[in-house]
Amino acid sequence: MASNANRGKFLANAILLCILGVIFMFLYSGLQNDQINIIWSFITEANGGWSQNATILPMTVGNFVCIPLTFLYGTLFVKFGVKKPLMVVLIITAIGVFGIVGANGLDCNGGAASGNYALFFVSLFVVRCGCMILQMAGFMLVANWFIKFRGQIMGIVTIGSPLFSVVGTGLMSSVIQDKFDGDYRYFYVGIAVVIIVIIVVVALFVRDTPEDVGCYPDGFDHAPVSEKIDEVKLTVRQVLSQKKGWQLIIAFGAFQFIINACMGSMAARYIALGGGDPTVAWVGVATKWLAVGAVLGIPMSYVFGFLDDKFGSIKASIVLGLCEFIPVLCLMLQPQGGSVPLMIGWGIGVACMTGGVPTLHPCITSYAYGRREYQSANRIIMAIQLIPSAFAAQMMVILINQGKATMGYGILIVVIIIGLVATISMLKLKDANAADRMYASAQENLADNVN
């Protein structure tokens, strides 16, 4: 290990990165999609506000614009490092948050007559597009700073997403209603302040790599054994001409598609099974089990990270793919009137999906390309994966509303199988950082003991 001074320096930076990573994922999850539920709670057409279609439109447009932005942000990280692009985009995002405050339009303030829809649209669009950099930056910093313990640290960072599901929308909506009489502008001012504090912390304390502070990944006293060759900036053509690039695109493109499809259509499925009435008692029970799943997603994030470090990203991802059958089958087999055992299964499936996919996605990309080439490849792979995922929820909602839910879930099962086949096909793929990984070291020690 490194000297005490370097070890202390690395530990301080590692703790900061873990804390920031959790905050990054918490904010990302809330600002990416979940905030629309808060907006819909306090801007309603029935009380003179903008329609739901009008309020979600900037986020819908932003979802598609984020596809090329994924490539742009990744390219900026490769060219300038994480820190500088992150700060610039967060400044713009904070301005967007203040714009939502200025747009008003809240029921408690007179509805649409008190608001500026053009400002609302632009501001919400900017926030949706800007918040994505939080996830990408958090993942790249973990990939830069950790190799041997990459999975477990990624598992800690990604608990921010299920954590928001647990304490996010419902709690924040209650606080806004009870403490601020339905005026969410105070809430958004608080979000803007948090983003500004993050910018200051990043500017003063965050470094792109451990080498920038005289350390090495994982706090070791030597450079990674697996990084003896010079770094190569991968081009789009290079990534798309490699078999492993398409294997990753298909595998985690499929697993991400399942999350978007299930989570985005869950309400439609349960309401349909309740005869179209969202007030049916068992529909409320279903949402409670969804909350349980979100709680379980917190430890599952770390569990999948541990499996990654212990057995490698490919094997851990195969386990994840098998787990994705659980939520799909539980939703598909759910009878009219509901089944508590299947609701429990749905909650467990949610935990596996929300805990496993965000954790293993950056891990398996690092597995295939290594620490140095992670973002060069990720910016391309992730952008392509977002294209089908953007349509997943819409596809399922349409099929459910047409009475073709079984067909929809059958399609999802086929998608999972495709993802599993792509993942299994990577079993012989060499870990780019194998010489520095925990499970590789354990296997080497076992072989030595046998000999």
Side-chain angles (χ1 to χ4, degrees), residues 65 86 119 132 140 147 155 168 184 301 311 388 397 449:
V65 174
L86 175 62
L119 178 60
M132 185 180 62
M140 186 166 180
I147 296 178
Y184 67 40
S301 294
F311 302 106
V397 169
N449 292 335

Side-chain angles (χ1 to χ4, degrees), residues 20-75:
L20 280 177
V22 173
I23 296 172
F24 284 2
M25 291 301 295
F26 185 90
L27 287 176
Y28 165 74
S29 296
L31 296 177
Q32 177 199 24
N33 285 317
D34 290 359
Q35 66 168 322
I36 195 63
N37 296 305
I38 295 175
I39 291 172
W40 280 348
S41 297
F42 304 106
I43 295 181
T44 62
E45 192 170 9
N47 291 320
W50 301 306
S51 69
Q52 285 192 348
N53 287 337
T55 50
I56 200 173
L57 182 59
M59 295 190 71
T60 302
V61 175
N63 287 340
F64 288 97
V65 174
C66 280
I67 295 172
L69 279 180
T70 299
F71 179 79
L72 175 61
Y73 290 158
T75 301

Side-chain angles (χ1 to χ4, degrees), residues 15 78 126 137 149 151 158 181 187 202 212 215 221 236 245 266 279 313 318 320 331 340 356 358 372 403 416 420 429:
I15 292 173
V78 171
V126 167
F149 304 108
T158 54
D181 298 320
F187 161 75
V202 170
D212 291 339
C215 299
D221 59 358
V236 175
M266 180 272 297
T279 64
S313 300
I318 292 172
L320 170 63
L331 286 174
V340 172
R372 292 183 173 182
I416 295 173
L420 274 170
L429 180 66

Side-chain angles (χ1 to χ4, degrees), residues 15 25 28 37 39-40 115 120 138 175 178 242 249 254 269 362 386 390 393 396 422 425 435:
I15 292 173
M25 291 301 295
Y28 165 74
N37 296 305
I39 291 172
W40 280 348
F120 175 85
V175 170
D178 297 339
Q242 294 174 328
I249 290 170
R269 175 60 169 163
L386 286 175
M396 284 303 300
S425 71

Side-chain angles (χ1 to χ4, degrees), residues 200-231:
V200 173
V201 172
V202 170
L204 295 177
F205 302 110
V206 171
R207 299 294 181 268
D208 288 344
T209 68
E211 287 85 350
D212 291 339
V213 294
C215 299
Y216 293 109
D218 301 298
F220 289 148
D221 59 358
H222 59 273
V225 177
S226 56
E227 293 183 352
K228 293 181 178 179
I229 62 173
D230 292 335
E231 182 177 6

Side-chain angles (χ1 to χ4, degrees), residues 261-415:
C262 288
M263 301 300 287
S265 65
M266 180 272 297
R269 175 60 169 163
Y270 281 125
I271 290 172
L273 292 174
D277 185 358
T279 64
V280 174
W282 77 269
V283 175
V285 174
T287 58
K288 291 179 181 178
W289 284 110
L290 174 64
V292 171
V295 172
L296 293 175
I298 295 175
M300 285 307 295
S301 294
Y302 183 81
V303 168
F304 277 106
F306 173 81
L307 291 175
D308 180 271
D309 286 340
K310 184 72 173 177
F311 302 106
S313 300
I314 307 301
K315 293 179 181 178
S317 297
I318 292 172
V319 174
L320 170 63
L322 293 172
C323 288
E324 287 210 334
F325 284 113
I326 299 173
V328 173
L329 289 172
C330 287
L331 286 174
M332 181 174 72
L333 300 175
Q334 194 74 234
Q336 198 79 20
S339 163
V340 172
L342 288 175
M343 291 181 199
I344 295 173
W346 158 245
I348 294 172
V350 168
C352 294
M353 287 192 303
T354 59
V357 174
T359 300
L360 292 182
H361 187 288
C363 287
I364 197 170
T365 305
S366 296
Y367 178 102
Y369 288 95
R371 182 175 75 124
R372 292 183 173 182
E373 297 306 329
Y374 164 74
Q375 196 55 255
S376 291
N378 182 65
R379 61 187 175 138
I380 302 159
I381 292 169
M382 189 174 176
I384 296 175
Q385 290 169 336
L386 286 175
I387 297 172
S389 292
F391 299 96
Q394 183 180 11
M395 178 199 78
M396 284 303 300
V397 169
I398 290 173
L399 290 173
I400 289 170
N401 290 337
Q402 290 179 347
K404 300 177 180 178
T406 300
M407 176 191 296
Y409 291 115
I411 293 172
L412 297 189
I413 289 173
V414 172
V415 171

